[in-house]
Amino acid sequence: MFALMRQLLIINADIDKTPTTAALINAYKDGAQAAEAVVKEIAIADLKFNPNKQFTLSNNEPEPDLVQAVTAIKWASHVVIFCPVYKDSINSKIKGFFDRVFMPDQVFISGSSVNFNGRSGRVVSILDEAAWQDWQVDMKPTYLAVKKLTLEKRGIKPVHTSTIGHLYALDNEYSKKWLQKLYSFGLKLI
């Protein structure tokens, strides 16, 4: 009997590629690798593309980095996005990546829009202090737009979410708890 190969794509949406985001990513990746998943990573900060979708209308060919991102998402059985949120918003390059890769009629490969059905996902929102305080009041984090309007609308389901606030150091019990949680999520690919 053959075991189903689990293929994980990690998308680092931290434009500054901070050590705390890297530690969270590594915890998830370590769990997935312990479960014998094959892992690929994309750091949006390293990609070269025009995040302003209005300029893509004259050229049907997406930039090579976006083609590679779409190929990696199609390859994956599970996609995890680690996305810092600053005062209820995300960086414009990250939003541009979502617009160009996940929104209908933005990226065309061989003349048809891209569909990502059959994949599961997770969004890990890392909130700054102001966003964390707003979340505690409203209970409506920014990741809902990424979950519902970006991933689920393009066929990635189910999408699990995690909201992490006040993560400024890695040597405290709160951070250790989250690192362990992410390791266990990676182990199960949820």
Side-chain angles (χ1 to χ4, degrees):
M1 224 179 230
F2 295 99
L4 181 63
M5 183 187 308
R6 297 166 13 141
Q7 298 171 182
L8 168 64
L9 175 64
I10 296 172
I11 300 176
N12 181 350
D14 183 350
I15 209 71
D16 297 319
K17 295 168 65 176
T18 61
T20 52
T21 301
L24 296 170
I25 289 171
N26 287 335
Y28 197 98
K29 180 170 62 173
D30 290 347
Q33 289 174 329
E36 300 181 0
V38 179
V39 179
K40 290 184 180 181
E41 294 183 60
I42 294 174
I44 296 173
D46 297 339
L47 302 181
K48 291 178 177 54
F49 67 95
N50 185 346
N52 188 341
K53 67 182 180 177
Q54 81 182 45
F55 294 114
T56 65
L57 299 176
S58 63
N59 180 2
N60 256 357
E61 294 301 315
E63 295 91 334
D65 283 354
L66 292 183
V67 172
Q68 289 177 350
V70 169
T71 300
I73 295 166
K74 285 182 169 182
W75 165 86
S77 57
H78 187 70
V79 178
V80 181
I81 300 173
F82 287 81
C83 189
V85 178
Y86 305 103
K87 191 58 181 161
D88 293 332
S89 67
I90 56 177
N91 180 282
S92 61
K93 185 171 184 179
I94 306 310
K95 175 71 170 92
F97 177 82
F98 293 154
D99 286 347
R100 297 287 312 280
V101 172
F102 291 104
M103 292 296 117
D105 304 324
Q106 295 308 316
V107 173
F108 289 87
I109 306 295
S110 302
S112 62
S113 66
V114 178
N115 189 308
F116 300 118
N117 288 338
R119 285 144 192 84
S120 59
R122 174 172 289 280
V123 177
V124 179
S125 292
I126 307 151
L127 308 181
D128 68 352
E129 185 173 351
W132 178 249
Q133 289 169 348
D134 289 347
W135 182 83
Q136 289 176 315
V137 172
D138 298 334
M139 298 296 181
K140 295 179 184 172
T142 301
Y143 72 71
L144 286 178
V146 176
K147 174 186 174 170
K148 293 185 181 298
L149 302 176
T150 301
L151 301 179
E152 289 179 347
K153 198 165 194 169
R154 300 303 289 148
I156 298 176
K157 295 177 186 178
V159 177
H160 299 278
T161 58
S162 299
T163 302
I164 305 170
H166 294 290
L167 190 70
Y168 298 111
L170 296 171
D171 59 353
N172 57 54
E173 289 306 311
Y174 179 76
S175 297
K176 290 175 186 175
K177 176 189 87 165
W178 271 107
L179 292 171
Q180 184 57 45
K181 270 187 179 184
L182 288 168
Y183 178 88
S184 69
F185 294 159
L187 200 58
K188 298 173 194 167
L189 276 194
I190 58 169

